[in-house]
């Protein structure tokens, strides 16, 4: 079965008590590395035309459909769930077809019925456990450009929880792509504050399944 995606949600009003949580400040100095550039697939220069970056996520669990995506004849950014089976074999197949990769990190949703999967990042975890779970996910394969969030509408609005994630990405020279499952997500702006290359998606393709 395909992995369910989190619907785009409208977050409730901010909880004033959340402001009492300690939010670590960004490092005073940042030494940017270029792991995300080194692992990226080169794209043709196109200074006179618009460019579209297509990311396909939730990959790895449904292996037949994941392989169909990887057989598309254009370079894509593929986001694989870290708990997918036969992950190294799937990544190798995608790499042979000229694609680049993100680690699709499971993060807490606002709706508790939306389960992002094992070892997900949640706002109740202490920073050291967030880093441990992130490191575990990042150890599943190599050669990726960064991460994006699987679900995560709650986690991506929590500055204190995002801080250790962004510190780790900055140290590794990885980028962050905000899937923006919550309109009030602060993940991309937090990443930039921590010296992390970041971008947010503009459109969900086929999120609403109509011909248009």
């Amino acid at each position: 079965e395909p992995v369910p995606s989190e619907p785009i949600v409208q977050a409730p009003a901010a909880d004033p008590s959340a402001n009492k949580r300690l939010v670590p400040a960004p490092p005073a100095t940042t030494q940017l590395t270029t792991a995300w550039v080194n692992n990226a697939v080169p794209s043709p220069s196109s200074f006179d035309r618009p460019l579209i970056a297509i990311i396909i996520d939730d990959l790895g669990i449904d292996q037949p459909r994941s392989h169909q995506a990887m057989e598309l004849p254009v370079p894509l950014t593929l986001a694989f769930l870290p708990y997918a089976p036969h992950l190294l074999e799937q990544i190798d197949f995608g790499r042979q077809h000229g694609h680049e990769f993100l680690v699709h990190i499971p993060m807490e949703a606002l709706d508790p019925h939306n389960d992002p999967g094992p070892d997900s990042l949640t706002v109740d975890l202490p920073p050291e456990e967030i880093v441990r779970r992130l490191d575990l996910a990042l150890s599943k394969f190599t050669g990726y450009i960064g991460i994006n969030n699987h679900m995560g509408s709650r986690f991506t609005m929590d500055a204190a929880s995002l801080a250790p994630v962004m510190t780790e990405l900055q140290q590794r020279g990885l980028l962050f792509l905000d899937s923006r499952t919550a309109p009030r997500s602060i993940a991309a702006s937090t990443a930039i504050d921590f010296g992390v290359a970041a971008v947010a998606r503009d459109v969900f393709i086929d999120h609403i399944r109509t011909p248009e």
Side-chain angles (χ1 to χ4, degrees):
E1 291 295 322
V3 175
S5 295
E6 182 182 5
I8 304 173
V9 297
Q10 185 62 51
D15 180 1
S17 64
N19 295 328
K20 298 178 182 178
R21 299 183 64 198
L22 179 63
V23 179
T29 59
T30 56
Q31 180 63 44
L32 294 180
T33 57
T34 55
W36 71 272
V37 174
N38 295 337
N39 293 329
V41 172
S43 298
S45 296
S46 180
F47 296 107
D48 59 339
R49 294 178 299 169
L51 290 175
I52 298 174
I54 299 177
I55 297 94
I56 301 180
D57 62 18
D58 294 340
L59 289 170
I61 301 296
D62 186 334
Q63 295 181 61
R65 288 190 176 93
S66 296
H67 274 70
Q68 285 182 332
M70 290 186 281
E71 288 172 341
L72 292 169
V74 291
L76 300 167
T77 304
L78 306 177
F80 274 84
L81 290 158
Y83 49 80
H86 308 292
L87 187 54
L88 294 180
E89 293 90 337
Q90 294 192 75
I91 294 296
D92 185 60
F93 185 82
R95 191 166 282 130
Q96 291 174 23
H97 284 74
H99 304 303
E100 65 185 12
F101 303 96
L102 294 166
V103 186
H104 198 36
I105 301 294
M107 299 182 184
E108 184 178 3
L110 278 167
D111 186 345
H113 296 99
N114 288 329
D115 180 10
D119 291 312
S120 57
L121 307 186
T122 61
V123 300
D124 62 334
L125 295 173
E128 58 270 18
E129 178 62 15
I130 290 175
V131 171
R132 188 196 71 80
R133 293 188 182 194
L134 178 62
D135 287 347
L136 178 64
L138 294 177
S139 72
K140 297 299 183 179
F141 65 97
T142 61
Y144 38 76
I145 59 175
I147 73 170
N148 69 329
N149 53 293
H150 173 56
M151 301 194 183
S153 55
R154 183 176 186 190
F155 193 88
T156 58
M157 293 193 299
D158 191 277
S161 299
L162 288 167
V165 173
M166 300 312 171
T167 298
E168 187 73 12
L169 294 182
Q170 192 276 330
Q171 292 172 351
R172 291 172 177 257
L174 298 171
L175 64 78
F176 181 83
L177 168 68
D178 188 354
S179 300
R180 287 190 60 79
T181 53
R184 296 216 312 268
S185 169
I186 61 170
S189 60
T190 302
I192 292 170
D193 289 343
F194 276 75
V196 175
V199 67
R201 67 98 193 142
D202 296 301
V203 175
F204 270 119
I205 300 174
D206 290 343
H207 185 68
I208 300 173
R209 297 176 182 272
T210 64
E212 292 80 7

